Amino acid sequence: MFNIEEELKKLPGKPGVYIMHDKKDEIIYIGKAISLKNRVRQYFQSSRNKTPKIIQMVSRIDHFEYIVTDSELEALVLECNLIKEHRPKYNTMLKDDKSYPYIKVTLNEPYPRVLFARELKKDKAKYYGPYTSATAVKDTLELLRKIYHIRTCNRNLPRDAGKERPCLYYHIKQCDGPCIENQITVEEYKKNITQALELLHGNYTPVITMLEEKMKKAASEFAFEEAAEFRDLMNSVKFVAQKQKITATDQEDRDIIAFARADDEAVVQVFFIRNGKLIGREHFRLTGVKDDTRSEVITSFVKQFYAGTPFIPKELYLQEPLEEAEIIEEWLAAKRGQKVYIRVPKKGEKERLVELAYKNASLVLQQDSERIAREEKKTIGAVQEIADILGLNDLKRMESFDISNTSGYQSVGSMVVFEDGKPKRNDYRKFKIKTVIGPDDYASMEEVLTRRLSHGLEEANELKEKNLSEDVGSFTRFPDLILMDGGRGQVNIALKVLDELRLNIPVCGMVKDDNHRTRGLYFDNKELPIDVRSEAFKLITRIQDETHRFAIEYHRSLRQKAQVHSILDDIPGIGPTRRKALMKQFQSIEAVKNAGVDDLMQVPSMNQKAAEEVFLFFHKKKEEKKEDKENN
């Protein structure tokens, strides 16, 4: 038994990381401390300065553990890694987990390549970026290949020169063919690489001048198609140049960071400046910020974001000062391998950039608020409309049921779950009808509902005996409303099952017109009209469609399995592996029937004996059918 008071006395006065657990042993909070003894004790002392979030978190702590480190810097690194791995509920969390692309130039090779890279490695290559758009990186690589004819292959050159044919890029004149012996020298090739690096550094004038001259020369020689190609390349370079507007004259790498927040969510805007040019911007979302100070919000973002990105710029310009700024500077410098400066500009161009980042963050937050409002109208708002129509006080979870079969064959039931107007797919369930023979939808529905609700009751009792929360179970959460795909008859079946199990759950039927479209709701022995233009009607329609889809897909999958089994599994030597391979190769049973032995032997896992068995099986069937016709 973990005794918090006793464990607090054992805490060391050393730096480290503390980890809070709840009764389910889930990690709910991770923090770091210069002194574990002082920091962890503060949570359990009475204080008026605690935020509501911390008060709630402390009330859920069942036990804690800690890891001692040699320094505060080590504690910071460990804290960042553990938060990223476990994503605790009460930590302010960065929701986005993006990796940014780089352009990699393999300068360590005699014939360097210019490549797309997702991570920055400690090799002898030169990296440019990170960029915020993978598409922009790929477009730039294509542009460099077209202008400078840089190779993209993985061949080891010049060692492998002449061993294989040149690739397609050589034939379409987008590579000078260093893979061909004596085609281009290392020195000539490196001239192209040097020019490509100039373009990547943002020096576009030489390449635009060169392309313009080539365009004019081709036009003067009446090579208009070639001239058009140079014109298009020149326009592409100009487009890239326009996107990289100069924002500073010192050609430094820096990130500009500012945020805006509303309620429990914040949007952080980052401008990425590389070599003095704005190469892109990106926004990120933080949750759980309601009770945090502005400094705490920006600190949480910086720690989480730079723990996950390999590139650290020389400077960070922030909207707010960081908590623990010195230790974070030390951590970032260790990652970068050079000094990193964290600044909060108060005037001039740099302050205006931070203000611009803040305005962009505010705009994204406003747009998000409008989008969320529209989404809530379609979901939570629609649920409230349904509750108002039915006169229900508390409506959150709805379960809808449907039966699917083909003339009573392979009857199945489906259960879909919507919470707050959104599908909760992890709670969907499928039922293969066991006790009903033939097309009896009422009896099938009775079986499905009985199994679903009985399972929930049994599971709840088991959890109660083990002293576990009902949230752990998959069936224990009963709906606030059961939706039946039909009127009075379906509703009465559900009410009968509920009565037998002594459960009290509202049941609503979805009444259809002659065209099989919902016209109203059947509830409490009355048909209630519903406005077809309302969000409630649209939600009911979405639930119906999803219930049908889920049931039909399950029924179709069972039917297909049965069809495949009934034919191929009857052939000697054909098991599940060969059956799947045959269907993958031929796509249909008819194609398998018409295949020859040689064709069948081309299928993976098939040998001659198995191929002959399949061939004889189907041709024997044909002969039997032929004999039957002749005898008749």
Side-chain angles (χ1 to χ4, degrees):
M1 187 71 178
F2 190 92
N3 187 313
I4 289 179
E5 290 298 327
E6 289 300 316
E7 295 300 325
L8 287 174
K9 295 175 184 176
K10 300 175 186 177
L11 286 165
K14 295 181 178 181
V17 173
Y18 53 92
I19 304 165
M20 306 298 195
H21 295 258
D22 65 8
K23 287 182 180 180
K24 298 178 190 175
D25 202 32
E26 290 180 6
I27 295 173
I28 58 174
Y29 190 78
I30 295 171
K32 76 161 187 64
I34 301 174
S35 168
L36 287 166
K37 184 176 185 178
N38 296 339
R39 185 73 186 97
V40 178
R41 280 182 171 181
Q42 287 176 0
Y43 288 103
F44 301 95
Q45 293 170 351
S46 57
S47 171
R48 296 179 181 177
N49 297 324
K50 287 181 186 172
T51 64
K53 181 171 81 172
I54 294 298
I55 293 170
Q56 187 182 38
M57 185 270 289
V58 172
S59 70
R60 294 193 59 185
I61 296 173
D62 179 73
H63 59 282
F64 61 80
E65 58 180 317
Y66 54 88
I67 302 169
V68 176
T69 60
D70 288 333
S71 66
E72 188 185 358
L73 178 59
E74 282 187 20
L76 174 66
V77 174
L78 181 58
E79 178 199 28
C80 291
N81 291 337
L82 290 175
I83 287 173
K84 187 174 182 181
E85 181 181 352
H86 297 288
R87 304 188 68 80
K89 179 177 180 179
Y90 288 99
N91 282 91
T92 298
M93 291 306 306
L94 176 62
K95 292 175 74 174
D96 307 72
D97 190 14
K98 299 171 179 158
S99 63
Y100 292 96
Y102 296 82
I103 291 176
K104 175 180 179 179
V105 186
T106 59
L107 293 176
N108 53 317
E109 298 175 344
Y111 291 96
R113 295 168 293 157
V114 183
L115 307 170
F116 181 99
R118 273 289 178 191
E119 51 185 321
L120 193 129
K121 296 180 178 178
K122 290 185 178 179
D123 50 21
K124 294 179 182 179
K126 186 172 181 62
Y127 289 84
Y128 292 86
Y131 297 90
T132 56
S133 168
T135 303
V137 171
K138 290 172 184 175
D139 290 345
T140 303
L141 293 176
E142 185 179 0
L143 185 64
L144 292 173
R145 191 169 60 243
K146 287 179 178 178
I147 297 173
Y148 299 113
H149 302 174
I150 296 166
R151 75 183 183 105
T152 58
C153 63
N154 292 323
R155 297 177 191 180
N156 189 333
L157 300 178
R159 188 194 71 185
D160 295 339
K163 291 184 179 179
E164 296 181 47
R165 292 179 181 179
C167 67
L168 176 64
Y169 288 117
Y170 171 76
H171 293 293
I172 62 174
K173 298 180 180 179
Q174 289 188 16
C175 177
D176 283 336
C179 59
I180 304 169
E181 281 189 289
N182 303 320
Q183 179 73 12
I184 182 171
T185 66
V186 169
E187 290 72 23
E188 289 173 323
Y189 186 88
K190 283 194 173 176
K191 285 180 183 177
N192 292 345
I193 286 291
T194 301
Q195 290 176 307
L197 295 182
E198 281 290 312
L199 191 144
L200 288 172
H201 280 118
N203 188 2
Y204 303 103
T205 305
V207 68
I208 291 173
T209 302
M210 179 264 289
L211 290 171
E212 190 170 13
E213 288 173 357
K214 287 188 175 185
M215 179 185 71
K216 289 177 179 178
K217 185 175 182 293
S220 68
E221 295 172 355
F222 302 105
F224 296 117
E225 287 187 11
E226 191 176 349
E229 287 179 11
F230 289 128
R231 179 203 62 201
D232 293 342
L233 285 173
M234 189 169 63
N235 289 337
S236 295
V237 174
K238 287 179 178 177
F239 179 73
V240 172
Q242 286 172 355
K243 289 178 74 175
Q244 292 194 334
K245 297 185 175 72
I246 294 176
T247 58
T249 56
D250 53 10
Q251 295 191 330
E252 290 292 357
D253 295 336
R254 61 172 59 96
D255 289 350
I256 313 293
I257 304 172
F259 74 92
R261 68 173 170 181
D263 197 33
D264 203 38
E265 185 172 72
V267 170
V268 182
Q269 181 78 49
V270 184
F271 290 163
F272 300 100
I273 296 174
R274 302 293 178 261
N275 295 314
K277 297 175 179 65
L278 176 65
I279 66 164
R281 62 179 185 174
E282 194 66 76
H283 65 266
F284 304 85
R285 290 177 175 81
L286 288 167
T287 57
V289 302
K290 188 174 183 179
D291 299 318
D292 292 351
T293 64
R294 298 182 64 80
S295 183
E296 285 172 338
V297 172
I298 205 86
T299 301
S300 293
F301 173 78
V302 167
K303 285 159 66 172
Q304 292 182 63
F305 178 69
Y306 291 105
T309 182
F311 184 85
I312 308 296
K314 182 178 180 180
E315 297 176 334
L316 302 184
Y317 286 164
L318 307 180
Q319 176 188 24
E320 302 286 339
L322 290 180
E323 293 185 332
E324 314 156 331
E326 289 183 11
I327 194 70
I328 291 175
E329 270 189 348
E330 187 182 345
W331 167 57
L332 294 175
K335 290 195 73 177
R336 176 179 167 83
Q338 291 178 335
K339 178 71 175 172
V340 174
Y341 300 90
I342 298 175
R343 312 184 192 279
V344 182
K346 298 297 182 185
K347 60 181 180 179
E349 178 190 358
K350 297 176 178 64
E351 192 274 336
R352 287 195 295 273
L353 277 171
V354 172
E355 179 64 21
L356 183 62
Y358 166 70
K359 287 178 180 176
N360 276 266
S362 299
L363 183 62
V364 172
L365 194 64
Q366 179 187 342
Q367 291 169 344
D368 277 358
S369 298
E370 292 170 357
R371 175 184 55 79
I372 291 167
R374 289 194 301 270
E375 183 67 23
E376 285 186 350
K377 185 178 178 183
K378 290 165 58 178
T379 54
I380 296 173
V383 172
Q384 188 56 53
E385 285 183 27
I386 294 170
D388 293 340
I389 292 169
L390 303 180
L392 300 176
N393 294 324
D394 188 19
L395 180 57
K396 180 180 176 67
R397 179 184 174 101
M398 294 183 282
E399 293 182 4
S400 177
F401 297 83
D402 191 24
I403 302 295
S404 180
N405 62 65
T406 304
S407 301
Y409 173 72
Q410 288 281 25
S411 288
V412 299
S414 70
M415 164 185 143
V416 304
V417 180
F418 275 62
E419 282 194 2
D420 289 327
K422 297 177 184 177
K424 192 176 183 185
R425 292 185 173 85
N426 287 344
D427 285 6
Y428 285 17
R429 292 293 180 269
K430 304 169 184 175
F431 300 86
K432 191 185 288 187
I433 303 302
K434 298 177 180 178
T435 63
V436 181
I437 299 172
D440 190 336
D441 284 358
Y442 282 176
S444 298
M445 184 62 75
E446 184 175 354
E447 179 189 325
V448 167
L449 288 168
T450 302
R451 284 166 59 187
R452 182 268 177 269
L453 297 169
S454 297
H455 193 160
L457 291 170
E458 290 165 8
E459 200 172 67
N461 287 332
E462 289 174 10
L463 293 172
K464 193 173 181 181
E465 288 173 6
K466 296 176 182 177
N467 201 25
L468 293 173
S469 168
E470 290 190 2
D471 293 340
V472 176
S474 59
F475 271 106
T476 52
R477 178 79 193 281
F478 285 151
D480 303 312
L481 177 67
I482 292 175
L483 289 168
M484 306 301 296
D485 188 40
R488 184 195 299 266
Q490 292 277 18
V491 170
N492 286 340
I493 288 294
L495 292 172
K496 176 188 172 188
V497 173
L498 290 166
D499 186 55
E500 289 172 352
L501 297 174
R502 297 182 180 178
L503 291 170
N504 184 22
I505 301 172
V507 181
C508 176
M510 297 176 278
V511 185
K512 299 181 182 63
D513 60 21
D514 295 336
N515 295 316
H516 208 69
R517 292 177 302 198
T518 300
R519 70 171 189 236
L521 301 176
Y522 184 80
F523 183 72
D524 201 18
N525 290 322
K526 295 191 291 269
E527 184 177 323
L528 305 172
I530 184 168
D531 184 354
V532 296
R533 295 164 299 182
S534 67
E535 293 297 341
F537 180 83
K538 293 172 186 174
L539 176 58
I540 290 288
T541 303
R542 289 198 297 273
I543 293 172
Q544 277 185 309
D545 292 343
E546 179 70 349
T547 313
H548 292 325
R549 179 200 65 79
F550 194 55
I552 290 167
E553 283 186 3
Y554 181 42
H555 179 248
R556 187 183 293 129
S557 70
L558 291 180
R559 199 169 65 239
Q560 287 172 345
K561 286 178 185 176
Q563 286 171 347
V564 172
H565 173 83
S566 64
I567 300 172
L568 295 183
D569 284 359
D570 290 339
I571 305 173
I574 303 301
T577 302
R578 284 177 173 161
R579 181 191 71 205
K580 289 176 185 175
L582 283 166
M583 291 304 296
K584 186 176 182 180
Q585 180 89 359
F586 294 102
Q587 300 296 312
S588 69
I589 296 294
E590 195 61 34
V592 177
K593 286 181 184 178
N594 296 328
V597 173
D598 291 340
D599 296 326
L600 292 164
M601 284 180 65
Q602 299 302 314
V603 178
S605 79
M606 291 289 285
N607 55 30
Q608 184 166 353
K609 183 180 179 183
E612 287 174 352
E613 289 284 6
V614 174
F615 182 82
L616 289 171
F617 178 84
F618 285 115
H619 283 73
K620 188 177 178 183
K621 292 266 185 190
K622 285 182 182 177
E623 291 298 323
E624 288 174 354
K625 286 184 180 179
K626 188 176 178 182
E627 286 179 15
D628 288 343
K629 282 185 180 179
E630 289 173 355
N631 291 334
N632 292 331

